[in-house]
């Protein structure tokens, strides 16, 4: 069994080897990912792939706590990150109350919150009160409605400067690492070089300190849409459909169960 990663061992990977992060929402998959991933993220993306909602904004504390408990049950040896849902960290007091609840009710190792310079005060308040924080800068899925879509960042010099300021603010506030999402690769590289904590990319090119993918995207299970940055390592949806179709046919033809499946 691999040794469980810690904040210290995660940070030591910067400049040494890329970090592997993947999402999981339940014990079954978390257990399967445990030996290959350094960190498991219980992302609020579960609201889309598991709950079938159009975006992440309606995810609730109850959902995040339920799924984080399940992941921690399945992957007892993994470093687990729990996403703070939209609207639960609009001020530092709410952020602390809600992140305390996550820490008290689950075995999550840290929380993740979206935002850069605008969230620095909140991140510092959480860290000062014993909550480890993973930042999230660049394309922020919780801003999809206010921005009118998922918009790639770092396309202009001004955006690059703001992203570097965001990363530095998140680091200075005490986050131990951060996710950078949907950012031009050259800019993401410069952002990663501008801070001393790991910067984990999703849709941010190869020159960052690690990668994260949503598991239902990379296993080809989520079919609503596939962002350009997703590589499908499995044609999961077709395999599952084929298996269930076989089962259905065998049940209808009385080919299942056979003697070996019968008491
Ligand atoms: O919710 C999620 O899965 C995430 C990833 C996109 C990083 O935040």
């Amino acid at each position: 069994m691999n040794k469980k990663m810690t904040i210290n061992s995660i940070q030591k990977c910067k400049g040494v080897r890329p970090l592997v992060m993947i999402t999981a929402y339940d014990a079954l998959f978390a257990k399967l990912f445990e030996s290959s991933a350094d960190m498991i993220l219980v992302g609020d993306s579960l609201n889309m792939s598991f709950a079938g909602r159009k975006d992440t904004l309606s995810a609730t504390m109850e959902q995040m706590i339920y799924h984080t408990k399940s992941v921690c049950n399945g992957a007892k040896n993994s470093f687990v990150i729990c996403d703070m849902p939209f609207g639960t960290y609009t001020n530092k007091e709410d952020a602390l109350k809600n992140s305390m609840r996550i820490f008290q009710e689950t075995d999550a190792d840290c929380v993740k919150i979206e935002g850069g310079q605008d969230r620095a005060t909140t991140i510092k308040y959480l860290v000062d009160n014993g909550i480890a924080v993973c930042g999230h800068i660049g394309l922020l899925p919780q801003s999809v409605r206010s921005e009118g879509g998922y918009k790639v960042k770092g396309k202009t010099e001004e955006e690059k400067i703001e992203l570097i300021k965001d990363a530095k603010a998140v680091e200075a506030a005490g986050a131990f690492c951060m996710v950078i999402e949907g950012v031009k690769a050259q800019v993401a590289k410069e952002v990663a070089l501008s801070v001393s904590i790991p910067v984990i990319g999703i849709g941010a090119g190869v020159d960052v300190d690690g990668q994260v993918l949503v598991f239902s995207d990379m296993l080809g299970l989520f079919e609503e849409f596939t962002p350009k940055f997703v590589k499908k390592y499995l044609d999961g949806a077709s395999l599952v459909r084929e298996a269930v179709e076989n089962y259905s046919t065998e049940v209808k033809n009385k080919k299942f169960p056979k003697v070996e499946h019968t008491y």
Side-chain angles (χ1 to χ4, degrees):
M1 190 187 274
N2 291 345
K3 202 159 171 258
K4 178 173 169 162
M5 296 296 277
T6 61
I7 286 176
N8 202 16
S9 61
I10 290 165
Q11 291 191 317
K12 278 189 178 151
C13 288
K14 184 159 175 123
V16 177
R17 68 149 175 100
L19 286 154
V20 182
M21 190 192 287
I22 188 167
T23 69
Y25 314 131
D26 61 26
L28 189 69
F29 279 101
K31 197 167 189 166
L32 293 174
F33 304 156
E34 176 145 60
S35 60
S36 311
D38 295 307
M39 292 173 266
I40 297 186
L41 168 64
V42 188
D44 57 359
S45 51
L46 63 83
N47 201 46
M48 298 165 76
S49 50
F50 265 38
R53 303 297 297 266
K54 68 169 183 165
D55 57 34
T56 60
L57 275 69
S58 52
T60 63
M61 283 292 291
E62 283 64 36
Q63 263 174 291
M64 297 312 300
I65 285 172
Y66 171 84
H67 288 280
T68 302
K69 277 184 184 169
S70 306
V71 166
C72 293
N73 287 342
K76 295 201 168 51
N77 207 35
S78 288
F79 187 95
V80 174
I81 304 169
C82 173
D83 249 346
M84 298 277 292
F86 178 68
T88 63
Y89 54 96
T90 49
N91 58 63
K92 63 181 187 169
E93 289 78 17
D94 279 354
L96 185 60
K97 188 181 81 199
N98 289 315
S99 56
M100 282 282 180
R101 194 175 153 205
I102 290 170
F103 265 39
Q104 283 166 348
E105 295 183 32
T106 80
D107 291 327
D109 295 285
C110 75
V111 298
K112 176 164 80 58
I113 70 178
E114 294 185 10
Q117 299 157 73
D118 55 333
R119 295 288 175 215
T121 309
T122 299
I123 294 173
K124 183 168 182 343
Y125 193 59
L126 298 191
V127 174
D128 286 347
N129 283 284
I131 305 288
V133 178
C134 171
H136 185 151
I137 64 168
L139 184 161
L140 306 179
Q142 292 179 4
S143 302
V144 62
R145 295 192 203 169
S146 55
E147 293 198 353
Y150 297 104
K151 305 271 164 62
V152 173
K153 300 287 153 72
K155 286 184 165 169
T156 62
E157 187 61 20
E158 290 71 38
E159 280 186 5
K160 181 180 98 177
I161 291 166
E162 284 310 301
L163 280 166
I164 291 175
K165 281 190 193 164
D166 283 338
K168 286 181 184 288
V170 167
E171 177 181 38
F176 75 96
C177 82
M178 73 189 86
V179 166
I180 187 165
E181 178 165 359
V183 168
K184 299 288 277 182
Q186 178 56 33
V187 171
K189 177 182 177 179
E190 290 183 47
V191 170
L193 287 173
S194 74
V195 291
S196 56
I197 59 173
V199 176
I200 313 295
I202 174 163
V206 76
D207 290 319
V208 286
D209 304 311
Q211 299 293 328
V212 52
L213 280 178
V214 171
F215 90 90
S216 41
D217 288 340
M218 58 91 73
L219 295 183
L221 293 165
F222 184 70
E223 294 182 300
E224 304 311 309
F225 61 91
T226 307
K228 175 183 164 71
F229 59 78
V230 170
K231 176 172 176 183
K232 286 192 183 177
Y233 287 84
L234 189 77
D235 190 2
S238 303
L239 291 172
V240 169
R241 255 192 217 101
E242 196 183 312
V244 178
E245 185 56 37
N246 285 342
Y247 165 63
S248 168
T249 306
E250 291 195 0
V251 169
K252 288 173 192 156
N253 296 336
K254 286 186 122 354
K255 293 264 165 52
F256 174 84
K258 287 199 165 56
V259 174
E260 64 265 35
H261 309 119
T262 305
Y263 293 110

